[in-house]
Amino acid sequence: IVSLQRSGCSSDLGRGIHIYTRTSTDARPRAAMLEKKALDLDASVPRISALVLMDSEGKRIAVDYFNDKLISNVALQSELEVALYNKTMRTPTARTEAEIIMLDEHQAVYRFLGDLQFYVLGSLEENEILLLDVLTGFCESITILLRNQVEKKCVLENLDLVLLSMDELTEGGLILETDPAVIATRVTMRSGDEMGGMDGGYAGSPMGLDVNPGLQNLAVAFGNVREQLGRALLK
């Protein structure tokens, strides 16, 4: 069972404003106006509340929460996951297309692949098309990395790929990338130090991920640089 949990952080702009108001009393009205604009901008940036991957029995496999109420409250997380499962378990159409539900203060888009259930949660005000894009990137990037073997056993054996895919999708709830091919490529590069075997494929994937030789060489080079840097720091 893996639960990724991140804490939020204030923007550099916000910190700069607070420092400015403490050192310059004459600029307080302007600083207050800038702070309000920064908060408005932050509220307008598209973001998600959670990524959830469960099996067909509702058991957690991997999750990533970004909502302030849920980040450190495991009990609330469990309640939400149980509610998600109970409300979506009898949705046969979710095996052929994405579905959407409203759940308390969240909206969730979800899709079932094999014996797995993928969910992306956002606020009620968030654009459902945007949530659908994230869900597509979530499902299809893992499908690419696992060579269409999207089932619980295979996911657990390659959990590092799943976690890296989630990492490439979003940071602190902010959406970084939704193109599944781009996400799969970045995950492959980040896992470059484990490449090898299986005709140059990725050794961690079930059948070996076909990797462009140039991309593989680049990933290996990154791995060598990282190793050399680590050795230098230890001296």
Side-chain angles (χ1 to χ4, degrees):
I1 298 176
V2 177
S3 174
L4 295 182
Q5 299 180 349
R6 301 186 180 92
S7 60
C9 61
S10 60
S11 67
D12 291 337
L13 177 58
R15 288 196 296 270
I17 289 170
H18 290 309
I19 293 171
Y20 189 47
T21 55
R22 286 197 299 266
T23 56
S24 177
T25 56
D26 294 337
R28 285 178 182 174
R30 176 173 173 76
M33 180 184 66
L34 290 175
E35 183 172 13
K36 182 178 184 302
K37 287 184 177 181
L39 292 174
D40 291 342
L41 178 61
D42 185 64
S44 67
V45 174
R47 64 180 66 226
I48 63 173
S49 302
L51 293 171
V52 178
L53 175 59
M54 296 190 288
D55 65 16
S56 57
E57 297 179 349
K59 295 179 180 177
R60 173 193 293 193
I61 295 177
V63 300
D64 207 349
Y65 285 99
F66 313 108
N67 180 283
D68 292 338
K69 295 180 180 178
L70 295 169
I71 285 177
S72 58
N73 194 322
V74 177
L76 281 181
Q77 292 176 15
S78 298
E79 290 178 11
L80 178 61
E81 290 163 25
V82 169
L84 272 175
Y85 177 73
N86 290 337
K87 195 165 184 178
T88 62
M89 61 181 292
R90 302 186 186 280
T91 315
T93 54
R95 296 199 170 276
T96 57
E97 60 184 6
E99 297 287 347
I100 183 170
I101 60 167
M102 305 299 173
L103 188 64
D104 298 326
E105 58 187 35
H106 306 282
Q107 58 176 322
V109 293
Y110 62 99
R111 186 178 174 189
F112 300 162
L113 295 177
D115 56 356
L116 298 173
Q117 301 179 357
F118 295 77
Y119 300 86
V120 175
L121 281 70
S123 69
L124 295 177
E125 294 77 26
E126 197 55 78
N127 188 323
E128 60 270 19
I129 302 299
L130 184 70
L131 298 179
L132 178 59
D133 284 343
V134 177
L135 177 67
T136 300
F138 189 16
C139 295
E140 294 188 6
S141 62
I142 293 175
T143 300
I144 293 171
L145 289 164
L146 299 185
R147 297 293 293 271
N148 296 312
Q149 296 187 36
V150 187
E151 55 187 26
K152 181 179 179 179
K153 181 177 182 295
C154 193
V155 164
L156 290 176
E157 290 174 350
N158 298 274
L159 196 56
D160 55 334
L161 299 181
V162 175
L163 299 180
L164 286 173
S165 295
M166 296 168 71
D167 218 26
E168 291 294 339
L169 268 168
T170 180
E171 174 64 37
L174 297 176
I175 301 165
L176 301 178
E177 181 60 66
T178 59
D179 187 319
V182 173
I183 293 170
T185 299
R186 290 177 178 173
V187 169
T188 303
M189 293 182 65
R190 289 179 62 177
S191 306
D193 56 340
E194 297 181 24
M195 284 185 176
M198 293 189 180
D199 299 327
Y202 175 56
S205 64
M207 297 176 62
L209 182 63
D210 294 331
V211 180
N212 181 287
L215 176 60
Q216 182 174 352
N217 292 336
L218 181 61
V220 171
F222 277 129
N224 292 336
V225 171
R226 184 168 59 248
E227 182 179 357
Q228 292 174 11
L229 180 59
R231 289 176 179 175
L233 292 175
L234 290 173
K235 290 182 180 180

